[in-house]
Amino acid sequence: MNSFGGLVPIYQQQELDLDDGIQPVQQPAIHSGQPVQLQQRFEAFHALNPWVLRHLEDLAADCVAKGFRRIGIGMLFELLRWRYGQATRGDAFRLNNDFRSRYARLLIERHPEWAHLFETRALRAA
């Protein structure tokens, strides 16, 4: 038995196979010198990584099923970052915090019954 009570530390485990659709994050090509609005950057990221929304949706649905009265998109982002770390071998998961408000709005658009669970503010950046 090792010092971890029989458990193998994550850094010694084989790559986890959670079979839950987590994939390597693809970053859109942004050409320097051209101003790109936040909404355009988000749409490009989302088009390359549609699984991110599905996972945020699953996490939110779990919160709803457990009776949460409020859900913070920041919490969902951090949970997804943790799950990504569990499913990969240290891949850098670059999920831009600037996209939080966009993902919250997508969740509400797909599930209007969740609108009261998320706090949204007027968008300041396009």
Side-chain angles (χ1 to χ4, degrees):
M1 183 173 274
N2 63 30
S3 61
F4 294 100
L7 298 175
V8 178
I10 288 175
Y11 65 86
Q12 293 178 351
Q13 293 177 10
Q14 297 293 327
E15 186 167 342
L16 297 176
D17 181 16
L18 299 180
D19 193 29
D20 62 1
I22 288 181
Q23 303 168 13
V25 172
Q26 297 180 41
Q27 296 295 334
I30 303 294
H31 303 289
S32 61
Q34 295 178 337
V36 181
Q37 293 185 351
L38 177 58
Q39 186 63 32
Q40 292 170 311
R41 290 190 351 242
F42 169 73
E43 289 170 3
F45 178 86
H46 178 56
L48 290 172
N49 303 283
W51 64 269
V52 170
L53 177 60
R54 287 192 303 271
H55 279 275
L56 291 171
E57 192 171 36
D58 289 347
L59 291 167
D62 189 47
C63 290
V64 170
K66 288 181 171 56
F68 283 42
R69 293 180 182 197
R70 301 292 288 170
I71 300 174
I73 192 67
M75 174 191 68
L76 298 181
F77 261 46
E78 296 309 321
L79 286 170
L80 183 54
R81 285 180 172 126
W82 181 83
R83 289 179 78 184
Y84 188 84
Q86 294 294 303
T88 64
R89 295 204 53 137
D91 266 356
F93 182 49
R94 293 187 177 94
L95 182 57
N96 190 332
N97 285 337
D98 291 344
F99 298 160
R100 288 179 178 195
S101 65
R102 271 47 180 196
Y103 276 115
R105 283 169 172 75
L106 276 180
L107 290 170
I108 292 168
E109 182 180 308
R110 290 172 61 112
H111 299 274
E113 70 277 14
W114 293 353
H116 69 283
L117 298 170
F118 292 93
E119 179 181 340
T120 58
R121 298 178 185 156
L123 294 175
R124 292 183 288 168

